[in-house]
Amino acid sequence: MDSLETREDLTSILPYLPLFLRSSKLFWPPPVVEALKSLAGGPSHSNVNSGQVLGIAISDLRNSLSLPVSTLHPSALHGYALFFDDLMSRDASEKWFGNVVPQLADLLLRLPGLLETHYQNAVSCNGMETGLRLLESQQQGVVFLSQGLIAALLVCSFFCLFPTTNRGVKHLQTINFDSLFACLYDSYDVQQENKIKCIVHYFEKICSCMPMGNVSFERKVLPLTNRPSHISFPRANFWSKSSISLCHLEVHSSGFIEDQSAEALEVDFANEYIGGGALRRGCVQEEIRFMINPELIVGMLFLPAMADNEAIEIIGTQRFSNHTGYASSFRFCGDYKDVKGVDSMGRLKTRIIAIDALCHPGKRQYTPECLLREINKAFCGFYDQSKRQQYENLFLDTGFSEAEFDEGIRKPLGSSMRNLSTPKNLSTSFQAIDETSCNQPTGDDERKWDYDNVGIVTGNWGCGAFGGDPEVKVIIQWLAASQALRPFILYYTLGLETLRKLDKLVQWIISHEWSVGELWEMLVEYSMQKLKRETKLSFFNWLLPSLYDDDDVPVMMDM
């Protein structure tokens, strides 16, 4: 193995880790080692038996790492004391400080060795490195981490040990938990307490039984210019000329994305900074997912903000907590037993795709530029790069050159081509992944999961707090999933009244065998009328007035 000093991956992330590197060895400073050994010995050695004393221990560890006091939220230590001394029961607190904290300290002592082993085992996948590194914007790549290493890194977050200098310059989120606890103290609310309960439960679970799997974090990029072996950023013509059939869309008026059992790509309604307000006051879809699957949080360490042509796919995170509610009604409801199967790379069969919608776009969301931005963002997340060859073959079979496909532009289709349908089971008509791929599954069941039958599970992406038009957003996601050759969408409306007619609209469109291009053209036409104030109708009512024959006609409010 190359010397650690010469590894570009480690060099890129080392300024953001609390460890030091010398003579090809990662290490904690001696005062930190002594403090961690004391914590690992339990309260009888460290005297850390309360939230207040824990705060002192955190300050001492940070001082030993020469971390500036100014980089710790001034209310953070009060927040630790409030939670562990006042909000947690006496019995639970005794178990936390007697059993959990010592094991967390021991895990920190093992972090240098875990990282060294990680870099020793990091392999190249089709020319793509997999070691922990800064996955900067416009750099397509993947990082593979063991669940044990993720746990150790999250313990660093709990003790607020990550350096914060220059994280903002690199467009990186905060990763320490100081603001999470500070928000609890500065202005108590019950959902904040329950977010922390999820994190505490995660640490309790890994201390009782450390999971042994792997998690991958991939930055997906649709290049703005042509690159070999990549699909480029589609232009408007690409969408308007598409003859791809619309995939199956199944509507669910209740339930949560994370509770579904289908093998599918689950959409994270992300902030451009992945994780959003998870480590602050945020408590909507993305933040809740990060609390019940805390291993997602570690991505905030090395994944800078997403650009318009990027998405982040995370495979293998384990769910640890049950919950009810949303936003102010969010509550931790105890342990969750994740029974998802495992793929050939040791990852749980849970795929999460983070895509960020436009925030508060108002009337601007109906402009051609914003429509294109949103559909390309969803397409970037939904597209499976391993299917590029099959995707090209589909176009070549219908008379389009590879160059035209790479440009994201297709020649006009004759009327006979407008109703061209893809095979009834298009995904299974394709040959499986190239035999040389390093993430090739080993069994038929895994092959089917990885490449053939993985649909999309989503909901009101870009709506709610983000202010998007729900009827437009569901159509955009449907178009993107269909163009990406996904076999289905499971759509969770959360009972949103605006979408009560979605199922009937979908049935009508499918019965008329519309293509992606035809539905896209209707969406563009509607949006132009909205911009010109030629209609006040919602998209569903504009497209199919008969849906509302027995109802009051829905009128869109001016945005």
Side-chain angles (χ1 to χ4, degrees):
M1 186 189 78
D2 293 338
S3 166
L4 288 180
E5 282 89 351
T6 64
R7 293 191 65 107
E8 293 184 3
D9 46 10
L10 176 57
T11 301
S12 72
I13 196 66
L14 190 59
Y16 307 100
L17 296 176
L19 300 176
F20 295 84
L21 175 63
R22 184 186 304 141
S23 302
S24 205
K25 296 290 290 183
L26 289 164
F27 64 95
W28 292 107
V32 174
V33 173
E34 291 306 311
L36 291 176
K37 285 182 176 179
S38 177
L39 279 171
S44 60
H45 289 80
S46 65
N47 294 319
V48 176
N49 57 7
S50 70
Q52 185 174 7
V53 181
L54 175 64
I56 296 171
I58 290 172
S59 294
D60 289 344
L61 285 168
R62 288 174 53 83
N63 289 337
S64 297
L65 291 167
S66 300
L67 297 174
V69 175
S70 61
T71 61
L72 186 73
H73 194 292
S75 299
L77 303 186
H78 297 295
Y80 282 89
L82 173 61
F83 183 85
F84 291 108
D85 296 344
D86 297 335
L87 300 177
M88 182 179 270
S89 71
R90 182 180 296 274
D91 286 346
S93 180
E94 288 181 359
K95 291 178 182 177
W96 173 260
F97 290 105
N99 298 328
V100 179
V101 170
Q103 291 186 69
L104 298 184
D106 183 67
L107 193 52
L108 285 181
L109 286 169
R110 293 190 285 120
L111 176 59
L114 288 170
L115 271 171
E116 289 174 6
T117 300
H118 164 77
Y119 286 112
Q120 289 170 3
N121 295 334
V123 296
S124 176
C125 175
N126 290 341
M128 187 179 292
E129 297 302 319
T130 61
L132 176 60
R133 64 197 184 281
L134 200 61
L135 270 182
E136 299 204 54
S137 184
Q138 306 304 316
Q139 293 182 2
Q140 181 155 317
V142 63
V143 166
F144 276 83
L145 301 176
S146 71
Q147 289 182 278
L149 177 54
I150 289 173
L153 292 169
L154 290 180
V155 177
C156 290
S157 293
F158 177 78
F159 283 98
C160 304
L161 302 182
F162 286 111
T164 58
T165 306
N166 293 328
R167 286 189 65 83
V169 173
K170 287 292 188 178
H171 305 288
L172 289 162
Q173 278 260 58
T174 181
I175 183 68
N176 290 326
F177 289 176
D178 55 329
S179 292
L180 181 69
F181 282 89
C183 289
L184 181 71
Y185 177 81
D186 285 342
S187 181
Y188 171 83
D189 52 47
V190 67
Q191 70 264 27
Q192 192 75 5
E193 177 185 352
N194 280 269
K195 285 173 62 178
I196 296 174
K197 284 182 177 179
C198 290
I199 298 296
V200 166
H201 178 67
Y202 163 74
F203 286 130
E204 291 171 343
K205 289 292 291 184
I206 62 155
C207 287
S208 65
C209 182
M210 178 65 73
M212 302 301 291
N214 297 308
V215 180
S216 64
F217 300 79
E218 179 183 4
R219 182 179 289 275
K220 302 173 71 174
V221 182
L222 285 178
L224 299 176
T225 57
N226 290 343
R227 293 184 192 172
S229 302
H230 286 80
I231 301 302
S232 5
F233 196 74
R235 312 297 187 245
N237 262 15
F238 177 87
W239 294 103
S240 62
K241 303 302 181 183
S242 172
S243 60
I244 299 291
S245 294
L246 293 164
C247 68
H248 174 72
L249 191 154
E250 183 177 304
V251 181
H252 296 262
S253 60
S254 61
F256 295 107
I257 291 171
E258 59 268 24
D259 291 332
Q260 63 81 34
S261 58
E263 293 183 348
L265 196 58
E266 302 172 10
V267 177
D268 166 18
F269 306 165
N271 187 287
E272 63 179 312
Y273 289 87
I274 190 169
L279 300 185
R280 298 186 299 278
R281 287 197 177 278
C283 197
V284 288
Q285 196 259 7
E286 179 174 40
E287 290 87 356
I288 290 172
R289 195 64 195 264
F290 273 57
M291 294 299 104
I292 64 175
N293 291 56
E295 291 162 333
L296 292 167
I297 295 171
V298 81
M300 298 164 68
L301 172 64
F302 56 88
L303 290 165
M306 289 180 279
D308 287 347
N309 63 328
E310 297 180 325
I312 293 170
E313 183 170 339
I314 303 169
I315 303 177
T317 63
Q318 184 171 337
R319 180 175 171 183
F320 289 85
S321 296
N322 271 311
H323 78 94
T324 59
Y326 188 84
S328 62
S329 65
F330 173 75
R331 299 293 184 271
F332 166 73
C333 290
D335 184 50
Y336 179 87
K337 297 189 184 303
D338 198 329
V339 295
K340 288 283 181 73
V342 177
D343 71 7
S344 60
M345 303 187 76
R347 302 173 300 183
L348 285 173
K349 293 183 178 180
T350 299
R351 289 178 180 257
I352 295 173
I353 186 67
I355 49 175
D356 58 302
L358 292 168
C359 190
H360 304 300
K363 205 75 175 256
R364 188 169 55 94
Q365 68 185 298
Y366 302 107
T367 63
E369 295 79 11
C370 288
L371 289 174
L372 188 61
R373 188 271 182 197
E374 296 294 79
I375 197 168
N376 284 344
K377 171 65 73 166
F379 180 66
C380 180
F382 299 166
Y383 179 69
D384 182 353
Q385 182 67 29
S386 72
K387 286 185 176 178
R388 181 179 189 271
Q389 187 61 55
Q390 293 92 339
Y391 200 57
E392 286 182 352
N393 289 343
L394 179 65
F395 289 136
L396 293 174
D397 288 344
T398 53
F400 305 113
S401 71
E402 183 175 348
E404 288 165 338
F405 175 69
D406 282 342
E407 288 290 338
I409 299 173
R410 295 174 57 192
K411 294 177 181 177
L413 293 169
S415 58
S416 63
M417 297 289 289
R418 293 294 287 174
N419 294 319
L420 175 69
S421 296
T422 52
K424 292 296 182 182
N425 192 1
L426 179 63
S427 59
T428 55
S429 72
F430 290 145
Q431 183 181 355
I433 189 170
D434 178 14
E435 297 296 323
T436 61
S437 174
C438 75
N439 59 349
Q440 178 186 342
T442 56
D444 290 341
D445 291 341
E446 290 174 355
R447 182 185 297 272
K448 183 181 292 184
W449 175 75
D450 278 333
Y451 302 109
D452 285 340
N453 297 324
V454 179
I456 304 295
V457 183
T458 188
N460 306 324
W461 172 65
C463 306
F466 275 66
D469 180 336
E471 296 185 13
V472 170
K473 284 295 196 292
V474 65
I475 298 299
I476 282 174
Q477 293 184 86
W478 191 15
L479 293 169
S482 301
Q483 190 71 26
L485 305 181
R486 296 292 180 175
F488 64 84
I489 283 186
L490 303 182
Y491 193 96
Y492 287 81
T493 69
L494 293 179
L496 189 65
E497 176 67 16
T498 309
L499 299 180
R500 72 187 189 283
K501 301 285 189 178
L502 174 59
D503 194 34
K504 291 183 178 179
L505 181 79
V506 168
Q507 292 176 28
W508 184 86
I509 292 173
I510 291 293
S511 71
H512 286 75
E513 298 183 348
W514 281 13
S515 67
V516 166
E518 288 167 327
L519 184 53
W520 168 256
E521 289 285 276
M522 298 303 291
L523 183 61
V524 170
E525 174 61 27
Y526 167 76
S527 298
M528 290 302 295
Q529 291 189 23
K530 285 288 291 183
L531 286 172
K532 295 177 180 178
R533 299 183 182 274
E534 294 175 356
T535 183
K536 289 188 176 181
L537 296 175
S538 71
F539 177 64
F540 291 1
N541 185 236
W542 176 89
L543 184 65
L544 188 60
S546 62
L547 271 179
Y548 298 91
D549 283 348
D550 300 326
D551 299 342
D552 293 332
V553 175
V555 175
M556 293 293 295
M557 300 296 291
D558 286 337
M559 294 188 178

